[in-house]
Structures are given as structure tokens and as C-alpha cells.
């Protein structure tokens, strides 16, 4: 079964996207700088001063939608797309109702009831969600002034197919943000499709260089930054990772 269609992962991602610091990490010595990752993908990576009036934003691989809602602070229209039916259903309920109950795993089969809430100061009417394949997007999406791909690129069977659509999706001067810890795995991406983490022509190829090779004809790399993030599996087990955010501008 696709792990992104399980109740377990849905609950983990609702907590990852919407959980408070106390709900996610109650330990004072924990890595608190890694919280609120979906918000920081926007607040630390988007240059809002460069957006035109009535900007359009695309959150590609939006999961349960927190970055999409955050992007609505800056864009008059935001589309969130994900291939997981359960993630998109949850995001759509959050868009219409503003909240969604779920059960956080604490220990074994013990859980705690929580409620994911979209911040009240966000305009949910600016956001819509749909299920789609990031490698084969519908042709009538239109163009955008900002595209976010958060923790997506190393979970695609053919990441080059996804990247190949971006020049047609971004307006000139538009911003592209790709974040990923570059956890390449054969379970998701055949090794001959990896953008990095491999040797090529006898030399190591890191993913940032692979992205440059794929994007440089149409995009300029304007910067990178490290974005730590934390996913809570249960009360005493966490995944701490550091994504690299690469920031690009469409020629």
C-alpha cells in the first residue's frame, strides 16, 4: 500500500503541518528550530517584494496544505496539488471548514485527539486543492509567479519530467523554491533517475548540481539555505532532517 494513503502518515503530516510546539515537541532540550517547517518554506524563502499584484502561487506536492495557506498571505490565488488522495481530501476539508480532527499517536496504540486548524487570519478562499501527478500536470493550470516544491523531488519516479514542466509554469521573473533533504531511495525513484547522490563519469554528483544541470537553461540559482524540519512519529521518536532550499528565478 502507498504509505502516503495510510491513516498513520496522514496523522503524522497533519501534526507536522498544523501541530503547535507543545503538541509536537514538549521537551525543552529538543530541536525547536526545526518546527513550523511548512510555514518557513514560505516565510524564509519567498521574496514577497518581487511578487506582482494579484500574484498566483502553486504548491506542488502540497501534502495537507499548510504551505498553501501560508502562501495565500502573499498571492491572490493559490493552487495546492498532491498525488495522495487522503492528503488532498484532508487539505480540502481544512479549506472549507478551517479545522480537522485527527488522532496523534503517543505510544503503541495509545493516541490523543487533536484538531488541525488553519490560522484564522488567513484567507482560505484564495486556496484550492486538487489531486494531480507532479510529473504530468494538467495543461490548463495557467502560469504562476511563485512555485514551491517542498520535499517532493526525491519522491518522484521521474523527477526530470517534473522539472521539465517548470519553464512553462513560471512567468518571467517568477520564483521557484525547491526544498529537499535529498533522501534518494530506490523504492521511490529508480537509481538511473536520481538527480544526485551518485557517481557520474567517475565523479560524485550532488543533487544541487543535478538541479543546476536541469534548470539552468531557463532559471538562475539565486541562493540556497538550510531548513531543518522535525516529524514526530510518537511521543519519544522523531525524524530530524535538514532540507536544502534552492531559490531560483525564471529568466
Amino acid at each position: 500500500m502507498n504509505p502516503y494513503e495510510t491513516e498513520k502518515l496522514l496523522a503524522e503530516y497533519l501534526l507536522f503541518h498544523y501541530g503547535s510546539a507543545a503538541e509536537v515537541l514538549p521537551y525543552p532540550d529538543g530541536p525547536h528550530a526545526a518546527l513550523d517547517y511548512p510555514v518557513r518554506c514560505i516565510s524564509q524563502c519567498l521574496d514577497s517584494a518581487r511578487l506582482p499584484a494579484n500574484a498566483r502561487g502553486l504548491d506542488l506536492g502540497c501534502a495537507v496544505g499548510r504551505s498553501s495557506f501560508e502562501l495565500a498571505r502573499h498571492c491572490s490565488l493559490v493552487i495546492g496539488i498532491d498525488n495522495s488522495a487522503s492528503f488532498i481530501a484532508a487539505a480540502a476539508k481544512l479549506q472549507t471548514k478551517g479545522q480537522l480532527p485527527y488522532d496523534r499517536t503517543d505510544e503503541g496504540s495509545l493516541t490523543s485527539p487533536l484538531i488541525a486548524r488553519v490560522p484564522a487570519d488567513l484567507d482560505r478562499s484564495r486556496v484550492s486543492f486538487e489531486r494531480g501527478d507532479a510529473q504530468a500536470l494538467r495543461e490548463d493550470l495557467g502560469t504562476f509567479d511563485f512555485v514551491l516544491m517542498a520535499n517532493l523531488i526525491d519522491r518522484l519516479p521521474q523527477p526530470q519530467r517534473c522539472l521539465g514542466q517548470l519553464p512553462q509554469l513560471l512567468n518571467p521573473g517568477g520564483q521557484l523554491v525547491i526544498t529537499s533533504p535529498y533522501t534518494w531511495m530506490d523504492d521511490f525513484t529508480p537509481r538511473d533517475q536520481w538527480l544526485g547522490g551518485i557517481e557520474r563519469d567517475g565523479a560524485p554528483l550532488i543533487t544541487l548540481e543535478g538541479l543546476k544541470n536541469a534548470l539552468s537553461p531557463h532559471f538562475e540559482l539565486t541562493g540556497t539555505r538550510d531548513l531543518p524540519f522535525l516529524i514526530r512519529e510518537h511521543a519519544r521518536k522523531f525524524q530530524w532532517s535538514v532540507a536544502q532550499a534552492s531559490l531560483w528565478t525564471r529568466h
Side-chain angles (χ1 to χ4, degrees):
M1 182 179 183
N2 183 344
Y4 291 100
E5 300 293 358
T6 63
E7 287 294 322
K8 176 182 182 295
L9 214 60
L10 175 60
E12 284 184 12
Y13 269 73
L14 286 168
L15 183 63
F16 178 35
H17 279 227
Y18 299 96
S20 68
E23 291 169 344
V24 178
L25 186 64
Y27 307 109
D29 294 332
H32 289 266
L35 298 174
D36 297 321
Y37 175 74
V39 176
R40 289 184 287 113
C41 284
I42 302 300
S43 64
Q44 297 182 14
C45 298
L46 167 65
D47 184 352
S48 59
R50 291 171 49 203
L51 290 176
N54 300 314
R56 300 180 85 238
L58 174 64
D59 185 1
L60 193 54
C62 65
V64 291
R66 182 65 182 89
S67 295
S68 303
F69 290 119
E70 192 65 22
L71 188 54
R73 296 186 189 275
H74 311 282
C75 296
S76 59
L77 181 146
V78 178
I79 299 176
I81 298 177
D82 200 276
N83 199 39
S84 167
S86 63
F87 281 8
I88 286 297
K93 289 177 183 176
L94 284 158
Q95 192 275 329
T96 56
K97 300 180 181 299
Q99 61 182 40
L100 181 66
Y102 67 101
D103 292 321
R104 179 192 67 186
T105 297
D106 292 333
E107 181 181 329
S109 61
L110 301 177
T111 61
S112 295
L114 296 178
I115 298 176
R117 290 185 173 89
V118 180
D121 63 336
L122 290 176
D123 185 352
R124 303 195 313 274
S125 68
R126 296 184 175 191
V127 183
S128 65
F129 294 100
E130 61 185 74
R131 189 181 183 193
D133 181 354
Q135 304 165 123
L137 296 168
R138 60 182 174 89
E139 295 183 356
D140 58 350
L141 269 178
T143 59
F144 299 87
D145 304 291
F146 180 86
V147 173
L148 172 68
M149 294 170 51
N151 293 17
L152 172 68
I153 197 69
D154 59 358
R155 288 297 175 267
L156 297 174
Q158 295 178 293
Q160 289 276 12
R161 284 185 63 200
C162 176
L163 297 177
Q165 301 168 106
L166 296 177
Q168 288 71 48
L169 286 174
L170 268 293
N171 292 319
Q175 300 174 58
L176 168 66
V177 173
I178 299 176
T179 75
S180 175
Y182 307 144
T183 309
W184 297 104
M185 299 173 64
D186 294 316
D187 290 347
F188 295 100
T189 311
R191 192 163 301 228
D192 62 358
Q193 298 294 317
W194 292 8
L195 298 179
I198 54 175
E199 283 196 0
R200 182 167 294 169
D201 300 324
L205 176 68
I206 62 172
T207 303
L208 183 61
E209 290 300 318
L211 288 170
K212 289 179 184 178
N213 294 338
L215 295 173
S216 61
H218 301 282
F219 292 87
E220 177 187 357
L221 177 65
T222 58
T224 63
R225 63 186 57 196
D226 292 329
L227 292 180
F229 64 92
L230 188 73
I231 297 178
R232 179 191 190 275
E233 293 189 27
H234 59 71
R236 297 184 178 277
K237 185 181 179 186
F238 299 81
Q239 302 174 30
W240 181 84
S241 305
V242 181
Q244 181 178 64
S246 56
L247 318 179
W248 310 81
T249 299
R250 176 74 165 92
H251 294 323

